[in-house]
Amino acid sequence: MLRVSARRSRKKTRYAHIAGLAAVPLSVLLGVFLLWLGIRELGACLYARSDAFTIRHLEILATSPRTKALVKDYTQIKEGQNIFGFDIGAVRQYVLANSPNFQSMTITRDLPDRVVINVIDRTPLARIGHRGGMVADSEGCVFISRSGTRGLPTISGYDSRDLEPGMRLDGNILAALQVVESCESPPFDMRPMDIDVGDPEKLVLKMEYKDRKREVPLTWRGMGQPSSAARRSLSDTLTFVKQAFDTPKGARLSYLDATIDGRLYGR
């Protein structure tokens, strides 16, 4: 009985020692947590609940009054609020997720009482279909443009019934947007009017060049891919087409087939 009691006594001592060792890190963690709460409350008193950091100047940099109104509505940032009363990252993420028209947004706190919001709108590059206000920019992002779309080229041959703002286009439609962007650049100065993407193997470009309407079916290596190599191939193809139209014989052509690499067929 004495030996059993001694063993039990040693076990209790060992358990007490282990419990004491475990209590040390728990006490440290509890102390750190209480310290963090204290610092957080002190920060709230000094900043988040301080009248010294009230927003008195809210500046929205945008291209139009309508965009400024949308920014105010989406961000809910107003004069009279505390300058630390919102999470910049969360606000920016929410706005960009719910407004496809905005390409980028930056929010800057200028202590003690000024907030600057800078918004860049997406630039419509082409209309998707012949009806409605659906447009796309050079990145293939779909959004609704209320004005300024009448003179934009169209992308036809695409079933746009399921098209929604915020979608990202790819494949032949992205390739068509690349053609529009390239044609309008200074080296070519062609005016695209419509690009038919109905055939998955090629695009049919309808454009105006040197006061004549022309039709150019074309393909290029990497068509529909956003790579730099694909863009160089497209540029080479358009250069080939332009050089053909600039010749005395090509100046009279209204149709030029550029679907075979290195060859052109015109009429």
Side-chain angles (χ1 to χ4, degrees), residues 23-40:
V24 174
L26 291 176
S27 300
V28 172
L29 290 175
L30 180 60
V32 171
F33 177 70
L34 292 175
L35 178 62
W36 175 78
L37 286 179
I39 294 174
R40 182 180 178 183

Side-chain angles (χ1 to χ4, degrees), residues 45-56 81-84 110-114:
C45 293
L46 293 177
Y47 298 101
R49 291 197 291 267
S50 174
D51 293 337
F53 297 102
T54 298
I55 300 175
R56 294 180 175 83
Q81 293 179 339
N82 187 277
I83 201 169
F84 296 102
D110 190 3
L111 300 181
D113 57 5
R114 183 169 175 260

Side-chain angles (χ1 to χ4, degrees), residues 89-139:
V91 170
R92 181 181 177 276
Q93 183 178 3
Y94 172 80
V95 173
L96 293 180
N98 289 275
S99 183
N101 295 54
F102 297 163
Q103 183 177 18
S104 64
M105 165 184 282
T106 57
I107 304 175
T108 306
R109 293 187 179 102
D110 190 3
L111 300 181
D113 57 5
R114 183 169 175 260
V115 172
V116 179
I117 305 176
N118 190 2
V119 177
I120 298 177
D121 287 310
R122 293 190 178 276
T123 302
L125 187 63
R127 289 182 291 156
I128 311 298
H130 295 277
R131 295 182 180 180
M134 290 288 189
V135 297
D137 67 352
S138 60
E139 297 177 352

